[in-house]
Amino acid sequence: MNESAVAAAPQANWYDADVLSVVLTEEQIAARTTQLAHQIAQNHPYRPGQPRSEDLLLVTVLKGAVMFTADLARSLPIPSQLEFMVVSSYGAATKSSGVVRIVKDLDRDIRGRDVLVVEDVVDSGLTLSWLLRHLAAREPKSLEVCALLRKPEAQEAPVALDYVGFDIPNVFVVGYGLDFDERYRDLPYLGELDPAAVERP
Ligand SMILES: O=P(O)(O)OC[C@H]1O[C@H](OP(=O)(O)OP(=O)(O)O)[C@H](O)[C@@H]1O
Ligand SMILES: [Mg+2]
C-alpha cells in the first residue's frame, strides 16, 4: 500500500454507536504511561551488568492488560521481562462473578524475583486481591502492582496499588484492551459503553 492510500484509510468508527463518551483519549493514556514508567524505574534502578534474573518481571493479566503492558514495557527506561497469566472473572457480564479461575498459569518460577503485576482495571478488586495472595505464596523478592485504571467506588476487596494511572468513575468502560464479551479491545481509546449495546448481538 502506498502512503496516500494509508492516509486515505477510513477512521475506525464502527464502534461509535456503542460508546456513550470518551473517558480517556489515546494521548492521555500515552502521557500517563510514560510518567508511570519513570516512577517505576526510579524504584527499580538499573545496575549496569546486573544479571538477567534481576530484571523487573512484568506479570500481565491477560487479556485486558495487553495493550497497557506493550506500551508500558516500551516506555520503561530499565530492562523488563514479560510473563503472562490468564484469569477470568467476568466473561459475558458487566459485573464480576467473584469466582476467579486460572485459565493459563505463568511459564516460570517467580521465587526471588522483583515482580510487577500489570492490570488494566481494578473494579471490585476481587481479581487482584485473589491474584496477589496467589503470587505472594510463590515467594517473589518483591511484589508490586501497576493498574492503569481504578474505580474507587466499586472496590469490594480493597487492595494496595503501588502505581495507578487514572481514577475513573464507576461506569463500564471499553477499549485499549478492555472488552465487553470480547469486543472493543481494539478501540484505541477508552470509552463508556452504552448499556444498550449490551443487549445488541
Ligand atoms: O476488580 P475486578 O472486579 O475483579 O475486575 C477486574 C478484572 O476484570 C477484567 O478481566 P476479565 O475477567 O474481564 O478478563 P479479560 O481481561 O480477559 O477481559 C479486568 O481485565 C480485570 O482483570
Ligand atoms: Mg473482560
Side-chain angles (χ1 to χ4, degrees):
M1 212 192 283
N2 64 32
E3 239 173 71
S4 59
V6 174
Q11 286 290 309
N13 60 2
W14 42 85
Y15 295 145
D16 284 359
D18 295 352
V19 174
L20 279 184
S21 63
V22 176
V23 175
L24 293 170
T25 64
E26 283 181 77
E27 292 76 18
Q28 286 174 306
I29 296 171
R32 185 71 184 121
T33 301
T34 306
Q35 287 176 343
L36 289 171
H38 282 87
Q39 211 183 323
I40 292 165
Q42 274 179 353
N43 295 334
H44 298 274
Y46 175 65
R47 209 166 40 78
Q50 72 182 29
R52 288 189 291 275
S53 61
E54 288 182 16
D55 290 349
L56 185 63
L57 191 64
L58 305 185
V59 168
T60 294
V61 186
L62 292 175
K63 302 173 193 169
V66 70
M67 309 295 182
F68 181 42
T69 301
D71 288 338
L72 184 69
R74 288 177 295 174
S75 300
L76 275 174
I78 51 166
S80 64
Q81 298 175 17
L82 308 183
E83 277 292 317
F84 297 97
M85 229 176 142
V86 180
V87 307
S88 190
S89 60
Y90 273 69
T94 56
K95 282 244 172 296
S96 173
S97 65
V99 179
V100 182
R101 199 165 52 90
I102 295 190
V103 180
K104 181 206 168 290
D105 206 342
L106 300 175
D107 292 332
R108 65 174 95 171
D109 199 4
I110 60 167
R111 178 188 288 260
R113 298 294 303 264
D114 287 310
V115 171
L116 179 68
V117 175
V118 181
E119 256 289 25
D120 51 344
V121 59
V122 181
D123 193 327
S124 68
L126 291 169
T127 306
L128 195 58
S129 64
W130 175 88
L131 184 69
L132 289 175
R133 277 195 312 270
H134 186 83
L135 293 179
R138 301 185 186 186
E139 301 182 336
K141 181 169 160 210
S142 65
L143 184 58
E144 291 182 326
V145 183
C146 178
L148 177 65
L149 308 166
R150 174 170 61 186
K151 295 194 201 173
E153 293 159 38
Q155 281 202 53
E156 285 168 36
V159 276
L161 303 178
D162 301 278
Y163 313 94
V164 180
F166 300 93
D167 282 308
I168 59 164
N170 188 23
V171 294
F172 199 82
V173 288
V174 293
Y176 196 66
L178 287 89
D179 73 312
F180 167 69
D181 202 12
E182 297 304 327
R183 200 172 225 193
Y184 313 107
R185 295 195 200 272
D186 52 338
L187 190 67
Y189 62 89
L190 194 81
E192 177 181 353
L193 184 67
D194 183 348
V198 172
E199 310 303 329
R200 289 196 275 274

